[in-house]
Amino acid sequence: MNLLKHIFILLLTLATTTAVAQSTQTISGKVFDEASRAPLTGAVIVLTGAASTGTVTDIDGNFSLSGVPIGRQSVKVSYTGYEDRLMNDILVTAGKEVHIGVSMQERLHKLDEVTVSYSRSKDKTRTNNEMAQVSARSFNVDETKRYAGALGDPSRMAANFAGVISGNDSRNDIVVRGNSPTGMLWQLEGLNIPNPNHYGSLVTTGGPISMLNNNNIDKSDFFTSAFPAQYGNALSGVFDIRLRDGNRNKSEFLAQVGFNGFELGAEGPLGKNKRTSYVINYRYSTLGVFQKMGIDFGSGSATPLYQDLNFKLSSQVSKKSKLCLFGVSGKSKIDFLGNEVDTSKVELYSADPYADERNKFGTTVTGAYYEYQLSDKTSMRFTAGYSGIMQEYKADSLSHIDRHPVPDAYGKLTNGKITGMWSMTHKMNARNNIQAGVTYDNTTFNLLNKDIEPTGAEFVYINKTGSFGLAQAYAQWKHRYSEKLSSVVGAHGQYITLNERMAVEPRASLRYALGTRQAVSVGYGMHHQAQNVYTYFSQTNTPTGPALTNKNLDFTRAHHMVLTYDWNVTEHLRMKAETYYQLLGNVPVEQRATSFSVLNMGADFGVVDVDSLVNKGKGHNYGAELTVERFFDKDYYFLVTASVFNSRYSGSDGIERNTTFNTGRVLNVLAGKEFRVGHKGSVLAVNVKMSSVGGRYMTPLDLAASRAAGHSVYKDNLAYSERQPDYFRTDVKIAYRKEYKKSTLELAVDLQNITNHQNTFEKFYDSRNDKEVIVYQQSFFPIPTIRYTF
């Protein structure tokens, strides 16, 4: 503890020491055509405001703008025949150069012929993917750091967007418009990847802590419905994550301590010609350190241990080609030991006092892509990679008499995937551009899950190894009829070799500008998703041996229909409203009449063992959303998102019920303000977030049956009928940034659940005390962060 005190005093001294701040920094980047991806030579980049300065792009579309004052700046990019781009709220610090990518949209008419209409270039949430016209927005690394409660996690940041339902403090699952989080597609640099979270199950898409390091993330896209044709095998939404290139001009370093870990990072050029760069970040868990300091973060006696590595190596091989190697890898473990449980407390993640449970997890993604510019109108990209996920657990029951451990269960689930992808973009002219591509995933798996009886007899849920392939192809065409009207039409197809199922999906959207600041859009998409590998190979134990009764399951299907209204009220204020309807079919349910449906899976740490499934279930989601957002300007911002929706399903018993994700409503209010401190560039920031979510529907506990069985038994015939109290949480983040001559120090504390509101997590039967117990979610918890870039 004395060492920690000395470190804190040293950091406090650094923060309060008078420094001569570096007055300027450099903004560099690349300017390219949005459709063809071709670099634009001679584009003009101007720093707006009092310190106006400018430069032009070179033959490769690159630029470097030096002499930029420290603080938040705005940059205007112009190119003959293209719509101007104005990029606001660029944070410039002494400790790190800024690199931006600027996509430009070609005008349909000469400047003197232009009719004033809505411009995509003025949309501050415009996506990297120009084919997206509904239910999409981009985000950047600054948003993951700025928002209170986000903790630098892209998933928790996205929970603030309209249509995304939060309300589970233990995990960062992305629940979109009442859909299961298993309906999400995660992509990393174009690769379809498994769960990118620590303690993430093979069959889920979320976890307590993200492995994606926000210091490595570039501007990325998030989709919530009717997404473009290039995305497949997903039902609810898409997270298309891009990693940034390292600095090609000079070496830079980072040291950080926060909720996500102790972190070290480095980036810079490789070689004398500076055509190659690297960026790498490594993290190791800090929660164990917090526990030693006496801070109770609600995990009981268990200490989470985890580490991860994010990297990207980029090389501009020639004027027309680029080669990149990238990866994310992490492993985690946690042990719940019954002998260490304080039975006087009921805690989130609390262990069973009569059991020992040991868990290990691991995820790795490694890939490479090669981009080649065939001409100024056509580009191609080849991507190849490997991704894998592992989950291992061992459980022992403890004797009530002498606490002796007896083997109770064991499981080890591994899944590996080799992926190859090719895509092409061709810009026919200013009005028309097309995209096409193919992807093939070859999956290998080794699945074992069994219970062990006291006698040593085993009950095997699954024991299977094998492989299968999933092929996907798409084509899409964007046509701009005029400056006001544009359409996107496309198709996506997929085929799985496991049971030879195939699906073809139409996608379409239309956007019309009502004036200079308003537009309406409509979109439709058919989407299919294969079942997870564990579901396919869950076995039915019969007298003649195990049978694979789920292997021939078809894809689950969803129809998405969306209507959008966009209004750029002012340059810095935007309002967006969307209404939608989703119809789900071919949903796996049990052959016998029950309330089970796979639409309720995906928000837990384990797997669900259900066999004998058939594609006879259905569901539907509908709702309306509103976003009012003031982008950061004049030292403050705010974001208000509201959603009302209904999410229902029918199991094989034919009864329509609420899904477990049907909270009915969500309201998020975020705001932040920066205050300049002194005359040396120091800044104090205060950010606030308030979330109010309708209560979850749970299945009632059957107390009588639980007493008879000695463990929790629920009334499945009343599934998801018992509504819990509403979820409410307020977070406050206070941050301080101090600029030195060639470095930047940032201190922050995230005060989570500052009102200490009790939000219900689960209910279970306590056999020891013969009563129903309510477990509450995270209580008030302060999370400090220290970040130093140099």
Side-chain angles (χ1 to χ4, degrees), residues 34 37 85 103 120 123-139 219-223 228 231 240 478 576:
E34 181 180 61
R37 318 302 288 180
R85 282 290 307 274
S103 61
R120 171 173 158 81
D123 187 350
K124 291 183 171 61
T125 61
R126 64 185 289 178
T127 55
N128 293 325
N129 191 323
E130 64 150 340
M131 297 291 182
Q133 298 195 117
V134 296
S135 299
R137 70 165 291 160
S138 66
F139 68 92
K219 179 184 175 184
S220 301
D221 291 344
F222 180 63
F223 305 88
Y231 305 110
D240 188 349
K478 182 174 183 178
K576 180 178 181 179

PDB file of all heavy atoms in Angstrom, residues 34 37 85 103 120 123-139 219-223 228 231 240 478 576:
ATOM      1  N   GLU A  34     -14.790   8.296 -52.079  1.00  0.00           N
ATOM      2  CA  GLU A  34     -15.614   7.444 -51.237  1.00  0.00           C
ATOM      3  C   GLU A  34     -16.013   6.153 -51.932  1.00  0.00           C
ATOM      4  O   GLU A  34     -16.054   5.080 -51.300  1.00  0.00           O
ATOM      5  CB  GLU A  34     -16.869   8.212 -50.817  1.00  0.00           C
ATOM      6  CG  GLU A  34     -17.812   7.444 -49.918  1.00  0.00           C
ATOM      7  CD  GLU A  34     -19.027   8.260 -49.530  1.00  0.00           C
ATOM      8  OE1 GLU A  34     -19.778   8.660 -50.443  1.00  0.00           O
ATOM      9  OE2 GLU A  34     -19.201   8.513 -48.336  1.00  0.00           O
ATOM     10  N   ARG A  37     -12.303   4.401 -53.704  1.00  0.00           N
ATOM     11  CA  ARG A  37     -11.197   4.368 -52.741  1.00  0.00           C
ATOM     12  C   ARG A  37      -9.900   4.878 -53.339  1.00  0.00           C
ATOM     13  O   ARG A  37      -8.824   4.742 -52.734  1.00  0.00           O
ATOM     14  CB  ARG A  37     -10.972   2.965 -52.180  1.00  0.00           C
ATOM     15  CG  ARG A  37     -12.210   2.198 -51.827  1.00  0.00           C
ATOM     16  CD  ARG A  37     -13.075   2.913 -50.810  1.00  0.00           C
ATOM     17  NE  ARG A  37     -12.494   2.903 -49.470  1.00  0.00           N
ATOM     18  CZ  ARG A  37     -13.081   3.465 -48.403  1.00  0.00           C
ATOM     19  NH1 ARG A  37     -14.260   4.077 -48.549  1.00  0.00           N
ATOM     20  NH2 ARG A  37     -12.512   3.430 -47.231  1.00  0.00           N
ATOM     21  N   ARG A  85     -15.712  18.645 -47.272  1.00  0.00           N
ATOM     22  CA  ARG A  85     -15.860  17.955 -45.988  1.00  0.00           C
ATOM     23  C   ARG A  85     -15.373  18.874 -44.873  1.00  0.00           C
ATOM     24  O   ARG A  85     -14.274  19.435 -44.943  1.00  0.00           O
ATOM     25  CB  ARG A  85     -15.032  16.673 -45.946  1.00  0.00           C
ATOM     26  CG  ARG A  85     -15.600  15.489 -46.677  1.00  0.00           C
ATOM     27  CD  ARG A  85     -16.822  14.893 -46.014  1.00  0.00           C
ATOM     28  NE  ARG A  85     -16.642  14.559 -44.625  1.00  0.00           N
ATOM     29  CZ  ARG A  85     -16.131  13.405 -44.177  1.00  0.00           C
ATOM     30  NH1 ARG A  85     -15.722  12.487 -45.035  1.00  0.00           N
ATOM     31  NH2 ARG A  85     -16.049  13.175 -42.896  1.00  0.00           N
ATOM     32  N   SER A 103     -12.914  10.627 -46.638  1.00  0.00           N
ATOM     33  CA  SER A 103     -13.559  10.147 -47.862  1.00  0.00           C
ATOM     34  C   SER A 103     -14.373  11.280 -48.469  1.00  0.00           C
ATOM     35  O   SER A 103     -15.068  12.009 -47.764  1.00  0.00           O
ATOM     36  CB  SER A 103     -14.448   8.944 -47.558  1.00  0.00           C
ATOM     37  OG  SER A 103     -15.473   9.283 -46.641  1.00  0.00           O
ATOM     38  N   ARG A 120     -24.704  14.327 -47.899  1.00  0.00           N
ATOM     39  CA  ARG A 120     -24.132  13.283 -47.043  1.00  0.00           C
ATOM     40  C   ARG A 120     -22.849  13.777 -46.380  1.00  0.00           C
ATOM     41  O   ARG A 120     -22.523  13.391 -45.266  1.00  0.00           O
ATOM     42  CB  ARG A 120     -23.857  12.034 -47.890  1.00  0.00           C
ATOM     43  CG  ARG A 120     -23.068  10.950 -47.180  1.00  0.00           C
ATOM     44  CD  ARG A 120     -22.979   9.690 -48.018  1.00  0.00           C
ATOM     45  NE  ARG A 120     -21.857   8.846 -47.627  1.00  0.00           N
ATOM     46  CZ  ARG A 120     -21.879   8.013 -46.595  1.00  0.00           C
ATOM     47  NH1 ARG A 120     -22.956   7.917 -45.850  1.00  0.00           N
ATOM     48  NH2 ARG A 120     -20.823   7.275 -46.307  1.00  0.00           N
ATOM     49  N   ASP A 123     -23.160  15.116 -42.895  1.00  0.00           N
ATOM     50  CA  ASP A 123     -23.628  14.215 -41.844  1.00  0.00           C
ATOM     51  C   ASP A 123     -22.441  13.790 -40.984  1.00  0.00           C
ATOM     52  O   ASP A 123     -21.572  13.049 -41.428  1.00  0.00           O
ATOM     53  CB  ASP A 123     -24.295  12.989 -42.473  1.00  0.00           C
ATOM     54  CG  ASP A 123     -24.954  12.096 -41.434  1.00  0.00           C
ATOM     55  OD1 ASP A 123     -24.742  12.325 -40.224  1.00  0.00           O
ATOM     56  OD2 ASP A 123     -25.676  11.166 -41.833  1.00  0.00           O
ATOM     57  N   LYS A 124     -22.413  14.246 -39.747  1.00  0.00           N
ATOM     58  CA  LYS A 124     -21.278  13.967 -38.873  1.00  0.00           C
ATOM     59  C   LYS A 124     -21.229  12.513 -38.411  1.00  0.00           C
ATOM     60  O   LYS A 124     -20.229  12.081 -37.854  1.00  0.00           O
ATOM     61  CB  LYS A 124     -21.302  14.916 -37.667  1.00  0.00           C
ATOM     62  CG  LYS A 124     -21.012  16.368 -38.018  1.00  0.00           C
ATOM     63  CD  LYS A 124     -20.978  17.240 -36.774  1.00  0.00           C
ATOM     64  CE  LYS A 124     -20.472  18.640 -37.086  1.00  0.00           C
ATOM     65  NZ  LYS A 124     -21.309  19.360 -38.045  1.00  0.00           N
ATOM     66  N   THR A 125     -22.319  11.768 -38.604  1.00  0.00           N
ATOM     67  CA  THR A 125     -22.313  10.349 -38.236  1.00  0.00           C
ATOM     68  C   THR A 125     -22.237   9.460 -39.479  1.00  0.00           C
ATOM     69  O   THR A 125     -22.551   8.277 -39.406  1.00  0.00           O
ATOM     70  CB  THR A 125     -23.579   9.997 -37.427  1.00  0.00           C
ATOM     71  OG1 THR A 125     -24.734  10.253 -38.223  1.00  0.00           O
ATOM     72  CG2 THR A 125     -23.648  10.812 -36.151  1.00  0.00           C
ATOM     73  N   ARG A 126     -21.832  10.009 -40.615  1.00  0.00           N
ATOM     74  CA  ARG A 126     -21.725   9.240 -41.860  1.00  0.00           C
ATOM     75  C   ARG A 126     -20.811   8.050 -41.642  1.00  0.00           C
ATOM     76  O   ARG A 126     -19.804   8.118 -40.948  1.00  0.00           O
ATOM     77  CB  ARG A 126     -21.218  10.103 -43.013  1.00  0.00           C
ATOM     78  CG  ARG A 126     -19.818  10.619 -42.835  1.00  0.00           C
ATOM     79  CD  ARG A 126     -19.400  11.568 -43.936  1.00  0.00           C
ATOM     80  NE  ARG A 126     -19.194  10.870 -45.206  1.00  0.00           N
ATOM     81  CZ  ARG A 126     -18.866  11.509 -46.319  1.00  0.00           C
ATOM     82  NH1 ARG A 126     -18.756  12.840 -46.336  1.00  0.00           N
ATOM     83  NH2 ARG A 126     -18.670  10.834 -47.444  1.00  0.00           N
ATOM     84  N   THR A 127     -21.175   6.947 -42.248  1.00  0.00           N
ATOM     85  CA  THR A 127     -20.453   5.699 -42.044  1.00  0.00           C
ATOM     86  C   THR A 127     -19.311   5.539 -43.049  1.00  0.00           C
ATOM     87  O   THR A 127     -19.279   6.194 -44.091  1.00  0.00           O
ATOM     88  CB  THR A 127     -21.412   4.508 -42.198  1.00  0.00           C
ATOM     89  OG1 THR A 127     -22.065   4.596 -43.473  1.00  0.00           O
ATOM     90  CG2 THR A 127     -22.459   4.528 -41.089  1.00  0.00           C
ATOM     91  N   ASN A 128     -18.381   4.643 -42.713  1.00  0.00           N
ATOM     92  CA  ASN A 128     -17.350   4.270 -43.679  1.00  0.00           C
ATOM     93  C   ASN A 128     -17.986   3.616 -44.901  1.00  0.00           C
ATOM     94  O   ASN A 128     -17.517   3.784 -46.016  1.00  0.00           O
ATOM     95  CB  ASN A 128     -16.358   3.283 -43.044  1.00  0.00           C
ATOM     96  CG  ASN A 128     -15.543   3.911 -41.932  1.00  0.00           C
ATOM     97  OD1 ASN A 128     -15.192   5.078 -41.988  1.00  0.00           O
ATOM     98  ND2 ASN A 128     -15.252   3.132 -40.902  1.00  0.00           N
ATOM     99  N   ASN A 129     -19.053   2.851 -44.646  1.00  0.00           N
ATOM    100  CA  ASN A 129     -19.746   2.131 -45.706  1.00  0.00           C
ATOM    101  C   ASN A 129     -20.766   3.053 -46.370  1.00  0.00           C
ATOM    102  O   ASN A 129     -21.795   3.384 -45.788  1.00  0.00           O
ATOM    103  CB  ASN A 129     -20.443   0.901 -45.129  1.00  0.00           C
ATOM    104  CG  ASN A 129     -20.953  -0.044 -46.190  1.00  0.00           C
ATOM    105  OD1 ASN A 129     -21.424   0.368 -47.243  1.00  0.00           O
ATOM    106  ND2 ASN A 129     -20.873  -1.339 -45.911  1.00  0.00           N
ATOM    107  N   GLU A 130     -20.491   3.466 -47.598  1.00  0.00           N
ATOM    108  CA  GLU A 130     -21.378   4.423 -48.267  1.00  0.00           C
ATOM    109  C   GLU A 130     -22.692   3.791 -48.708  1.00  0.00           C
ATOM    110  O   GLU A 130     -23.629   4.485 -49.085  1.00  0.00           O
ATOM    111  CB  GLU A 130     -20.674   5.024 -49.478  1.00  0.00           C
ATOM    112  CG  GLU A 130     -20.352   4.033 -50.563  1.00  0.00           C
ATOM    113  CD  GLU A 130     -20.366   4.701 -51.945  1.00  0.00           C
ATOM    114  OE1 GLU A 130     -20.977   5.768 -52.065  1.00  0.00           O
ATOM    115  OE2 GLU A 130     -19.780   4.120 -52.868  1.00  0.00           O
ATOM    116  N   MET A 131     -22.802   2.450 -48.644  1.00  0.00           N
ATOM    117  CA  MET A 131     -24.039   1.776 -49.035  1.00  0.00           C
ATOM    118  C   MET A 131     -25.101   1.837 -47.937  1.00  0.00           C
ATOM    119  O   MET A 131     -26.245   1.461 -48.167  1.00  0.00           O
ATOM    120  CB  MET A 131     -23.754   0.308 -49.389  1.00  0.00           C
ATOM    121  CG  MET A 131     -22.841   0.132 -50.582  1.00  0.00           C
ATOM    122  SD  MET A 131     -23.659   0.645 -52.116  1.00  0.00           S
ATOM    123  CE  MET A 131     -22.398   0.262 -53.340  1.00  0.00           C
ATOM    124  N   ALA A 132     -24.743   2.282 -46.753  1.00  0.00           N
ATOM    125  CA  ALA A 132     -25.686   2.325 -45.630  1.00  0.00           C
ATOM    126  C   ALA A 132     -26.516   3.602 -45.689  1.00  0.00           C
ATOM    127  O   ALA A 132     -25.970   4.705 -45.685  1.00  0.00           O
ATOM    128  CB  ALA A 132     -24.932   2.257 -44.313  1.00  0.00           C
ATOM    129  N   GLN A 133     -27.842   3.458 -45.735  1.00  0.00           N
ATOM    130  CA  GLN A 133     -28.733   4.620 -45.791  1.00  0.00           C
ATOM    131  C   GLN A 133     -29.759   4.625 -44.657  1.00  0.00           C
ATOM    132  O   GLN A 133     -30.461   5.618 -44.475  1.00  0.00           O
ATOM    133  CB  GLN A 133     -29.455   4.674 -47.145  1.00  0.00           C
ATOM    134  CG  GLN A 133     -28.515   4.829 -48.327  1.00  0.00           C
ATOM    135  CD  GLN A 133     -29.213   5.252 -49.608  1.00  0.00           C
ATOM    136  OE1 GLN A 133     -28.954   6.329 -50.161  1.00  0.00           O
ATOM    137  NE2 GLN A 133     -30.122   4.429 -50.087  1.00  0.00           N
ATOM    138  N   VAL A 134     -29.856   3.527 -43.901  1.00  0.00           N
ATOM    139  CA  VAL A 134     -30.779   3.467 -42.757  1.00  0.00           C
ATOM    140  C   VAL A 134     -30.088   2.749 -41.601  1.00  0.00           C
ATOM    141  O   VAL A 134     -29.190   1.935 -41.801  1.00  0.00           O
ATOM    142  CB  VAL A 134     -32.092   2.717 -43.105  1.00  0.00           C
ATOM    143  CG1 VAL A 134     -32.876   3.459 -44.164  1.00  0.00           C
ATOM    144  CG2 VAL A 134     -31.809   1.289 -43.547  1.00  0.00           C
ATOM    145  N   SER A 135     -30.521   3.078 -40.384  1.00  0.00           N
ATOM    146  CA  SER A 135     -30.129   2.355 -39.167  1.00  0.00           C
ATOM    147  C   SER A 135     -28.620   2.142 -39.067  1.00  0.00           C
ATOM    148  O   SER A 135     -28.150   1.037 -38.783  1.00  0.00           O
ATOM    149  CB  SER A 135     -30.855   1.008 -39.098  1.00  0.00           C
ATOM    150  OG  SER A 135     -32.247   1.182 -39.058  1.00  0.00           O
ATOM    151  N   ALA A 136     -27.847   3.191 -39.295  1.00  0.00           N
ATOM    152  CA  ALA A 136     -26.394   3.077 -39.253  1.00  0.00           C
ATOM    153  C   ALA A 136     -25.788   4.372 -38.750  1.00  0.00           C
ATOM    154  O   ALA A 136     -26.331   5.455 -38.971  1.00  0.00           O
ATOM    155  CB  ALA A 136     -25.851   2.750 -40.646  1.00  0.00           C
ATOM    156  N   ARG A 137     -24.661   4.241 -38.074  1.00  0.00           N
ATOM    157  CA  ARG A 137     -23.883   5.406 -37.684  1.00  0.00           C
ATOM    158  C   ARG A 137     -22.450   4.968 -37.430  1.00  0.00           C
ATOM    159  O   ARG A 137     -22.170   3.793 -37.175  1.00  0.00           O
ATOM    160  CB  ARG A 137     -24.451   6.110 -36.459  1.00  0.00           C
ATOM    161  CG  ARG A 137     -24.327   5.369 -35.147  1.00  0.00           C
ATOM    162  CD  ARG A 137     -24.579   6.315 -33.972  1.00  0.00           C
ATOM    163  NE  ARG A 137     -23.510   7.280 -33.828  1.00  0.00           N
ATOM    164  CZ  ARG A 137     -23.638   8.437 -33.153  1.00  0.00           C
ATOM    165  NH1 ARG A 137     -24.799   8.763 -32.623  1.00  0.00           N
ATOM    166  NH2 ARG A 137     -22.627   9.257 -33.027  1.00  0.00           N
ATOM    167  N   SER A 138     -21.559   5.914 -37.529  1.00  0.00           N
ATOM    168  CA  SER A 138     -20.159   5.646 -37.236  1.00  0.00           C
ATOM    169  C   SER A 138     -19.854   6.090 -35.810  1.00  0.00           C
ATOM    170  O   SER A 138     -20.646   6.780 -35.162  1.00  0.00           O
ATOM    171  CB  SER A 138     -19.262   6.408 -38.217  1.00  0.00           C
ATOM    172  OG  SER A 138     -19.402   7.812 -37.999  1.00  0.00           O
ATOM    173  N   PHE A 139     -18.712   5.666 -35.311  1.00  0.00           N
ATOM    174  CA  PHE A 139     -18.222   6.160 -34.026  1.00  0.00           C
ATOM    175  C   PHE A 139     -16.701   6.205 -34.092  1.00  0.00           C
ATOM    176  O   PHE A 139     -16.079   5.551 -34.937  1.00  0.00           O
ATOM    177  CB  PHE A 139     -18.688   5.268 -32.872  1.00  0.00           C
ATOM    178  CG  PHE A 139     -18.085   3.893 -32.867  1.00  0.00           C
ATOM    179  CD1 PHE A 139     -16.930   3.613 -32.162  1.00  0.00           C
ATOM    180  CD2 PHE A 139     -18.676   2.869 -33.587  1.00  0.00           C
ATOM    181  CE1 PHE A 139     -16.372   2.353 -32.176  1.00  0.00           C
ATOM    182  CE2 PHE A 139     -18.131   1.601 -33.601  1.00  0.00           C
ATOM    183  CZ  PHE A 139     -16.969   1.336 -32.892  1.00  0.00           C
ATOM    184  N   LYS A 219     -11.992   4.904 -36.884  1.00  0.00           N
ATOM    185  CA  LYS A 219     -13.410   5.155 -37.120  1.00  0.00           C
ATOM    186  C   LYS A 219     -14.076   3.880 -37.624  1.00  0.00           C
ATOM    187  O   LYS A 219     -13.608   3.248 -38.572  1.00  0.00           O
ATOM    188  CB  LYS A 219     -13.590   6.278 -38.133  1.00  0.00           C
ATOM    189  CG  LYS A 219     -15.042   6.591 -38.457  1.00  0.00           C
ATOM    190  CD  LYS A 219     -15.158   7.642 -39.551  1.00  0.00           C
ATOM    191  CE  LYS A 219     -16.604   7.855 -39.958  1.00  0.00           C
ATOM    192  NZ  LYS A 219     -16.749   8.799 -41.070  1.00  0.00           N
ATOM    193  N   SER A 220     -15.186   3.481 -36.994  1.00  0.00           N
ATOM    194  CA  SER A 220     -15.849   2.219 -37.307  1.00  0.00           C
ATOM    195  C   SER A 220     -17.346   2.426 -37.443  1.00  0.00           C
ATOM    196  O   SER A 220     -17.876   3.484 -37.093  1.00  0.00           O
ATOM    197  CB  SER A 220     -15.554   1.190 -36.210  1.00  0.00           C
ATOM    198  OG  SER A 220     -14.161   0.953 -36.074  1.00  0.00           O
ATOM    199  N   ASP A 221     -18.044   1.382 -37.943  1.00  0.00           N
ATOM    200  CA  ASP A 221     -19.484   1.474 -38.227  1.00  0.00           C
ATOM    201  C   ASP A 221     -20.287   0.545 -37.324  1.00  0.00           C
ATOM    202  O   ASP A 221     -19.815  -0.542 -36.949  1.00  0.00           O
ATOM    203  CB  ASP A 221     -19.771   1.112 -39.678  1.00  0.00           C
ATOM    204  CG  ASP A 221     -19.241   2.133 -40.664  1.00  0.00           C
ATOM    205  OD1 ASP A 221     -18.924   3.259 -40.227  1.00  0.00           O
ATOM    206  OD2 ASP A 221     -19.142   1.805 -41.859  1.00  0.00           O
ATOM    207  N   PHE A 222     -21.529   0.982 -37.026  1.00  0.00           N
ATOM    208  CA  PHE A 222     -22.450   0.192 -36.220  1.00  0.00           C
ATOM    209  C   PHE A 222     -23.815   0.225 -36.908  1.00  0.00           C
ATOM    210  O   PHE A 222     -24.336   1.288 -37.225  1.00  0.00           O
ATOM    211  CB  PHE A 222     -22.542   0.777 -34.813  1.00  0.00           C
ATOM    212  CG  PHE A 222     -23.469   0.025 -33.897  1.00  0.00           C
ATOM    213  CD1 PHE A 222     -23.216  -1.294 -33.550  1.00  0.00           C
ATOM    214  CD2 PHE A 222     -24.600   0.635 -33.382  1.00  0.00           C
ATOM    215  CE1 PHE A 222     -24.064  -1.990 -32.701  1.00  0.00           C
ATOM    216  CE2 PHE A 222     -25.455  -0.044 -32.529  1.00  0.00           C
ATOM    217  CZ  PHE A 222     -25.182  -1.363 -32.194  1.00  0.00           C
ATOM    218  N   PHE A 223     -24.397  -0.963 -37.145  1.00  0.00           N
ATOM    219  CA  PHE A 223     -25.668  -1.083 -37.861  1.00  0.00           C
ATOM    220  C   PHE A 223     -26.694  -1.793 -36.971  1.00  0.00           C
ATOM    221  O   PHE A 223     -26.370  -2.769 -36.292  1.00  0.00           O
ATOM    222  CB  PHE A 223     -25.499  -1.898 -39.150  1.00  0.00           C
ATOM    223  CG  PHE A 223     -24.441  -1.374 -40.082  1.00  0.00           C
ATOM    224  CD1 PHE A 223     -23.123  -1.782 -39.952  1.00  0.00           C
ATOM    225  CD2 PHE A 223     -24.763  -0.484 -41.085  1.00  0.00           C
ATOM    226  CE1 PHE A 223     -22.148  -1.317 -40.803  1.00  0.00           C
ATOM    227  CE2 PHE A 223     -23.786  -0.005 -41.950  1.00  0.00           C
ATOM    228  CZ  PHE A 223     -22.477  -0.415 -41.805  1.00  0.00           C
ATOM    229  N   PRO A 228     -26.346  -3.322 -45.139  1.00  0.00           N
ATOM    230  CA  PRO A 228     -26.000  -3.563 -46.543  1.00  0.00           C
ATOM    231  C   PRO A 228     -25.699  -5.030 -46.839  1.00  0.00           C
ATOM    232  O   PRO A 228     -25.422  -5.833 -45.945  1.00  0.00           O
ATOM    233  CB  PRO A 228     -24.761  -2.684 -46.750  1.00  0.00           C
ATOM    234  CG  PRO A 228     -24.906  -1.588 -45.751  1.00  0.00           C
ATOM    235  CD  PRO A 228     -25.534  -2.240 -44.553  1.00  0.00           C
ATOM    236  N   TYR A 231     -22.913  -7.739 -45.506  1.00  0.00           N
ATOM    237  CA  TYR A 231     -22.963  -8.366 -44.192  1.00  0.00           C
ATOM    238  C   TYR A 231     -23.992  -9.490 -44.196  1.00  0.00           C
ATOM    239  O   TYR A 231     -25.154  -9.280 -44.560  1.00  0.00           O
ATOM    240  CB  TYR A 231     -23.317  -7.334 -43.121  1.00  0.00           C
ATOM    241  CG  TYR A 231     -22.401  -6.135 -43.104  1.00  0.00           C
ATOM    242  CD1 TYR A 231     -22.859  -4.888 -43.523  1.00  0.00           C
ATOM    243  CD2 TYR A 231     -21.088  -6.242 -42.684  1.00  0.00           C
ATOM    244  CE1 TYR A 231     -22.032  -3.777 -43.517  1.00  0.00           C
ATOM    245  CE2 TYR A 231     -20.237  -5.142 -42.672  1.00  0.00           C
ATOM    246  CZ  TYR A 231     -20.717  -3.911 -43.095  1.00  0.00           C
ATOM    247  OH  TYR A 231     -19.886  -2.817 -43.087  1.00  0.00           O
ATOM    248  N   ASP A 240     -18.776  -3.298 -37.324  1.00  0.00           N
ATOM    249  CA  ASP A 240     -17.706  -3.369 -38.311  1.00  0.00           C
ATOM    250  C   ASP A 240     -16.531  -2.542 -37.787  1.00  0.00           C
ATOM    251  O   ASP A 240     -16.481  -1.321 -37.957  1.00  0.00           O
ATOM    252  CB  ASP A 240     -18.204  -2.839 -39.658  1.00  0.00           C
ATOM    253  CG  ASP A 240     -17.207  -3.067 -40.783  1.00  0.00           C
ATOM    254  OD1 ASP A 240     -16.060  -3.434 -40.497  1.00  0.00           O
ATOM    255  OD2 ASP A 240     -17.582  -2.867 -41.959  1.00  0.00           O
ATOM    256  N   LYS A 478     -25.250   1.147 -55.989  1.00  0.00           N
ATOM    257  CA  LYS A 478     -25.780   2.440 -55.538  1.00  0.00           C
ATOM    258  C   LYS A 478     -25.938   3.352 -56.740  1.00  0.00           C
ATOM    259  O   LYS A 478     -25.016   3.526 -57.543  1.00  0.00           O
ATOM    260  CB  LYS A 478     -24.854   3.094 -54.512  1.00  0.00           C
ATOM    261  CG  LYS A 478     -25.408   4.415 -53.986  1.00  0.00           C
ATOM    262  CD  LYS A 478     -24.554   4.989 -52.857  1.00  0.00           C
ATOM    263  CE  LYS A 478     -25.173   6.270 -52.307  1.00  0.00           C
ATOM    264  NZ  LYS A 478     -24.377   6.815 -51.173  1.00  0.00           N
ATOM    265  N   LYS A 576     -32.774  12.607 -35.251  1.00  0.00           N
ATOM    266  CA  LYS A 576     -33.048  11.451 -36.092  1.00  0.00           C
ATOM    267  C   LYS A 576     -34.157  10.624 -35.466  1.00  0.00           C
ATOM    268  O   LYS A 576     -34.127  10.339 -34.264  1.00  0.00           O
ATOM    269  CB  LYS A 576     -31.792  10.593 -36.256  1.00  0.00           C
ATOM    270  CG  LYS A 576     -31.985   9.359 -37.126  1.00  0.00           C
ATOM    271  CD  LYS A 576     -30.678   8.591 -37.272  1.00  0.00           C
ATOM    272  CE  LYS A 576     -30.855   7.375 -38.163  1.00  0.00           C
ATOM    273  NZ  LYS A 576     -29.574   6.632 -38.339  1.00  0.00           N
TER     274      LYS A 576
END
